Amino acid sequence: MKKGLLQAVKILAFIALGLLLLWLAFRQTNFRKLAEDLRNANYSWMIVSLLFGFFAFLGRSRRWVLLIRSIGFRPSLSNTYHAVMTGYLANLALPRLGELTRCVALGKKEKIPVDQLVGTVIIERAFDMLVLFLIMFIVLITSSRQIGELIDESILTPLQNKFVLLFGVTWIFWVVTAMFIAITFWLIIRYRKNLRKIKIFGKMFDIAKGVINGLKSITNLERKGEFILQTAIIWISYTMMTWVVAFSIPSTSHLSFIEAIFLLVIGGLAMSAPVQGGFGVFHYAISRALIILEGVSMEDGLAYAVLAHESQLIWIAVTGTISFFIIFRKSKKERELVD
């Protein structure tokens, strides 16, 4: 009873957070201008975006098959794809529920222990985290002037200015930053056993351990080259999926490929927030990023965010529902055994 109540409170909190972020994103919006942008958008680019999304989901499914093969099972690509899409559908109901759902779905269909499938998902997420950091690093190095200004104006400059006001010189900011990072790492290592007793730190250590072990276990893959190839297909498809939506609106049609990668990172971070389907947080983050990057109006930025987010949301809702019924449908042989 208590556990169910706590779960209900969490769900309500996620919904409330999403509604708050939606209000923040749309509170100063000219809805007539937004509606006009959406009405005049070239929706043929949505089809192209959904096609790249399909390639990304298919690549993710094939990559998962490769990981599962490394633990001695050989699921079909079809069942793996439907399990992945069922997981995405579950994420619309509750954040992070999809990871467990797809493991349960595929485990039931292919008779694979769920706990072993969860291990492969940890490996997959660990590798994606590594790729995301790599992409962020590349964007920082090759970023356009606007992206550099965005990072500088929103993060570095405010912090630096506070130190200059306090101490009158800039170099102290960088010395203090380096010392803070070094001391933080030292304290974590020195008191890691005590920190483990605290629930939140215990989970953080477990996640870090899972990431490290997951990355190590990739060396056991039979087809490492294909694993890297499928990872490249996934992230290139995600980037193209993000980029082509910009062509549907005149004010964002000149978005560069590098800027699309930056929006992909911002959108990915927004979607990782504990809010169902990224509602609100995605629209807020993407529209503000476009305002700074391209100088577009708030309505144009929100129009892009709505087109990018809702097109994928509808696609996942439709295809995920179909996959749910396919993956949990009993075969004729299974029905005969039950009867």
Side-chain angles (χ1 to χ4, degrees):
M1 179 69 179
K2 186 178 179 181
K3 187 177 180 181
L5 180 62
L6 182 62
Q7 190 67 23
V9 170
K10 285 183 179 180
I11 294 173
L12 290 174
F14 291 149
I15 294 174
L17 179 59
L19 291 175
L20 174 62
L21 290 169
L22 275 175
W23 176 77
L24 288 173
F26 288 90
R27 60 177 177 156
Q28 297 177 332
T29 303
N30 182 337
F31 286 97
R32 182 174 296 179
K33 175 68 167 57
L34 176 61
E36 182 181 351
D37 286 342
L38 294 175
R39 186 170 55 251
N40 296 330
N42 185 349
Y43 284 89
S44 60
W45 288 109
M46 296 300 99
I47 298 174
V48 180
S49 178
L50 294 178
L51 184 61
F52 279 116
F54 170 74
F55 289 146
F57 298 144
L58 192 62
R60 184 171 292 281
S61 303
R62 175 58 185 170
R63 191 180 65 170
W64 196 23
V65 168
L66 296 175
L67 284 172
I68 297 171
R69 284 184 177 182
S70 69
I71 60 173
F73 299 94
R74 305 183 73 84
S76 69
L77 178 60
S78 175
N79 285 335
T80 306
Y81 170 79
H82 292 308
V84 167
M85 296 310 299
T86 300
Y88 278 116
L89 178 66
N91 276 336
L92 298 183
L94 190 66
R96 304 278 70 86
L97 178 63
E99 310 299 353
L100 180 60
T101 300
R102 65 162 160 153
C103 292
V104 172
L106 188 62
K108 179 180 176 63
K109 193 71 174 179
E110 293 279 354
K111 305 298 185 290
I112 304 173
V114 174
D115 57 340
Q116 294 191 44
L117 288 176
V118 171
T120 62
V121 171
I122 292 175
I123 297 172
E124 184 186 29
R125 288 309 184 194
F127 198 77
D128 278 338
M129 188 181 298
L130 183 66
V131 172
L132 183 61
F133 283 134
L134 179 62
I135 291 174
M136 291 174 66
F137 179 72
I138 293 173
V139 169
L140 288 174
I141 292 177
T142 62
S143 62
S144 64
R145 179 177 55 84
Q146 293 93 336
I147 294 176
E149 289 178 357
L150 173 62
I151 296 171
D152 184 60
E153 291 175 8
S154 60
I155 300 175
L156 296 179
T157 299
L159 288 174
Q160 184 174 311
N161 287 341
K162 289 183 179 180
F163 275 84
V164 171
L165 287 174
L166 287 173
F167 302 105
V169 288
T170 304
W171 63 268
I172 294 180
F173 166 73
W174 298 108
V175 171
V176 171
T177 300
M179 289 178 61
F180 174 78
I181 294 173
I183 293 172
T184 300
F185 273 107
W186 181 82
L187 289 173
I188 290 173
I189 295 171
R190 176 69 176 80
Y191 297 102
R192 61 185 181 277
K193 291 183 179 179
N194 293 330
L195 288 173
R196 266 195 171 278
K197 297 177 182 178
I198 304 174
K199 189 174 181 180
I200 187 171
F201 283 104
K203 287 186 176 181
M204 290 172 64
F205 281 123
D206 289 338
I207 291 172
K209 184 178 179 180
V211 169
I212 294 170
N213 292 336
L215 291 174
K216 287 181 180 178
S217 64
I218 291 178
T219 58
N220 297 325
L221 284 174
E222 296 177 359
R223 307 180 69 169
K224 299 181 181 65
E226 186 182 353
F227 183 88
I228 300 298
L229 174 63
Q230 294 298 338
T231 300
I233 290 173
I234 292 168
W235 287 96
I236 290 173
S237 296
Y238 280 155
T239 305
M240 294 301 297
M241 179 182 75
T242 303
W243 192 22
V244 297
V245 174
F247 302 143
S248 62
I249 305 173
S251 59
T252 59
S253 59
H254 55 285
L255 191 75
S256 71
F257 185 76
I258 294 296
E259 289 170 335
I261 295 176
F262 181 74
L263 285 183
L264 174 66
V265 173
I266 295 295
L269 293 174
M271 292 297 288
S272 65
V275 178
Q276 285 92 333
F279 276 108
V281 61
F282 180 89
H283 303 78
Y284 183 88
I286 292 296
S287 61
R288 269 56 184 181
L290 279 171
I291 290 172
I292 297 174
L293 284 176
E294 295 292 330
V296 301
S297 67
M298 183 181 298
E299 290 74 20
D300 289 341
L302 283 171
Y304 171 90
V306 168
L307 290 172
H309 184 268
E310 269 55 56
S311 62
Q312 290 298 323
L313 189 73
I314 294 171
W315 175 255
I316 288 173
V318 173
T319 59
T321 301
I322 294 171
S323 291
F324 172 81
F325 284 107
I326 291 176
I327 198 73
F328 285 106
R329 180 188 60 192
K330 293 183 181 295
S331 65
K332 184 178 179 181
K333 184 177 180 180
E334 288 173 326
R335 288 195 300 269
E336 289 174 353
L337 289 173
V338 173
D339 295 336

